[in-house]
Amino acid sequence: MSQRIFSGIQPSGSVHIGNYAGALRNWVELQKNHQCIYCIVDYHAMTMPYDPAQMPQRVLDAALDILACGVDPERSLLFVQSHVPQHCELSWILGCTAPMGELNRMTQFKEKGERVDSVTVGLFTYPVLQSADILLYRAGAVPVGEDQLQHLELTREIARRFNARYGDTFPEPKPVLTPSPRVMDLSDPTRKMSKSVEGSTIMLSDSDEVILRLIKRAVTDVGPAGDEMSPGVKNLFTLLEATASPEVVAKFEADYASKSLRYGDLKAALSESMLATLRPIRERRAELAANPKRVLEILGDSARQCRKMADETLAEVRHKCGLGAGL
Ligand code: TYM
């Protein structure tokens, strides 16, 4: 059996094209040959201020987007993190070997810490919970965008420390990147695209009109022209790679190399490939949204299977750590 795959996404409203290009398209691809476990990480979403009344809808929206992208519940598991509270137990256990100095260096912690009045312990230990998510299922590979590489490196470090202290238990999981692991913001292509920036992020649920407007307005040249491709144009190529055929990408790369590239043509091709990619996703999403009961069933069935796997790992972990019964 090939190695097990695990990945997660925060339920933060609509999924955007960066999530798709950097991670979700690999989630779908990897299902063909691997056992895949995908998680909507609501415990993680609690690390930033939020409205509890909105959380259930956010989770359902994330599930709809993920299934609409092509994650197949017949092949893969898709569950909600808080339905498997074992993640928290392993997080505590791993936290007792995780080095505080390394957590302090996490760039996501530093960035998010600057956005809140008071930094919580939850925000600080976020990457330990992420390590627990992955290690609980002994996943060997984790499809993520580039921004998660540091957390993955920490997960490997935590696995090594645990194995050294308590005996070989966890594999060291490797990241799996797409060719477009870092999609940038359309109006400020020096900044990573994220859900928190409205008006320059393409959401999977956006209408054709909105998508066309966002691409039309996307920044191309910023700063003085040099020999290097500008960040805006580079980002358009990134998005083209994620949505168009290799032939289309090769044609525009050749135009760029021969200095005959017209940004208008590039944007027109990108608009076409983006609409062609997102339309069927939007249609599938609408079909799924008409039957939320089915979606909840999928999440419930998956959680049941995950709890079973989680219990098996935890029984071994508790035993190795000298915890619980046995006295
Ligand atoms: P999240 O919810 O921010 O993002 C979900 C996935 O999308 C990728 N991504 C991007 N890729 C390319 N360009 C972008 N602009 C872009 N923005 C987001 C992310 O890298 C990610 O793969 N901490 C994680 C969630 C998590 C997790 C896990 C992931 C919790 N536990 C265990 C893997 C394994 C996060 O906040 O992702």
Side-chain angles (χ1 to χ4, degrees), residues 6-12 16-24 27 39 41 44 81 108 112 126 129-131 133-134 142-149 151-152 178 180-185 192-195:
F6 183 95
S7 197
I9 187 168
Q10 295 204 48
S12 0
H16 58 73
I17 192 69
N19 301 131
Y20 174 81
L24 280 175
W27 290 23
C39 182
V41 295
H44 278 112
Q81 192 182 30
Q108 184 174 302
K112 288 192 173 179
Y126 178 118
L129 179 58
Q130 180 161 349
S131 303
D133 296 341
I134 299 164
V142 185
V144 282
E146 200 176 86
D147 61 339
Q148 296 301 315
L149 289 181
H151 286 168
L152 254 277
T178 67
S180 51
R182 190 172 176 82
V183 174
M184 308 306 280
D185 185 274
K192 190 189 67 167
M193 181 179 278
S194 86
K195 311 176 211 215

Side-chain angles (χ1 to χ4, degrees), residues 42-272:
D42 54 351
Y43 283 141
H44 278 112
M46 296 175 70
T47 57
M48 292 299 271
Y50 75 104
D51 176 1
Q54 284 180 9
M55 189 61 98
Q57 188 59 47
R58 281 169 50 182
V59 169
L60 184 62
D61 280 337
L64 288 170
D65 279 330
I66 294 164
L67 293 168
C69 281
V71 165
D72 178 0
E74 302 288 322
R75 287 168 176 259
S76 305
L77 298 176
L78 174 66
F79 75 104
V80 182
Q81 192 182 30
S82 64
H83 289 173
V84 187
Q86 286 89 335
H87 288 238
C88 289
E89 183 179 345
L90 185 60
S91 179
W92 174 260
I93 293 172
L94 296 178
C96 294
T97 50
M100 186 146 159
E102 300 218 358
L103 287 183
N104 243 329
R105 282 209 294 276
M106 294 292 119
T107 51
Q108 184 174 302
F109 169 65
K110 288 189 208 156
E111 277 163 25
K112 288 192 173 179
E114 280 169 12
R115 283 195 260 139
V116 288
D117 296 334
S118 142
V119 174
T120 63
V121 173
L123 187 64
F124 183 65
T125 58
Y126 178 118
V128 181
L129 179 58
Q130 180 161 349
S131 303
D133 296 341
I134 299 164
L135 300 179
L136 194 52
Y137 304 96
R138 303 184 214 245
V142 185
V144 282
E146 200 176 86
D147 61 339
Q148 296 301 315
L149 289 181
Q150 199 184 28
H151 286 168
L152 254 277
E153 186 51 57
L154 180 78
T155 303
R156 283 196 293 278
E157 172 66 21
I158 287 178
R160 273 194 295 274
R161 286 190 180 225
F162 186 95
N163 290 345
R165 170 93 177 78
Y166 298 106
D168 207 18
T169 311
F170 299 118
E172 288 179 34
K174 293 190 182 60
V176 186
L177 297 180
T178 67
S180 51
R182 190 172 176 82
V183 174
M184 308 306 280
D185 185 274
L186 292 173
S187 17
D188 177 1
T190 59
R191 197 174 58 194
K192 190 189 67 167
M193 181 179 278
S194 86
K195 311 176 211 215
S196 48
V197 189
E198 263 182 47
S200 50
T201 299
I202 297 176
M203 303 293 181
L204 298 191
S205 52
D206 279 344
S207 66
D208 284 0
E209 292 69 35
V210 170
I211 295 168
L212 291 174
R213 196 172 58 237
L214 287 171
I215 294 177
K216 197 161 171 224
R217 282 210 216 125
V219 167
T220 45
D221 275 325
V222 280
D227 279 347
E228 263 200 31
M229 195 185 271
S230 73
V233 174
K234 203 165 160 209
N235 198 34
L236 296 181
F237 269 105
T238 300
L239 289 170
L240 193 68
E241 189 286 323
T243 52
S245 68
E247 292 76 32
V248 172
V249 179
K251 178 213 171 294
F252 282 99
E253 277 171 353
D255 287 353
Y256 181 81
S258 64
K259 298 200 184 334
S260 62
L261 175 70
R262 294 212 313 246
Y263 296 155
D265 294 344
L266 178 61
K267 283 189 171 185
L270 177 61
S271 300
E272 194 182 309

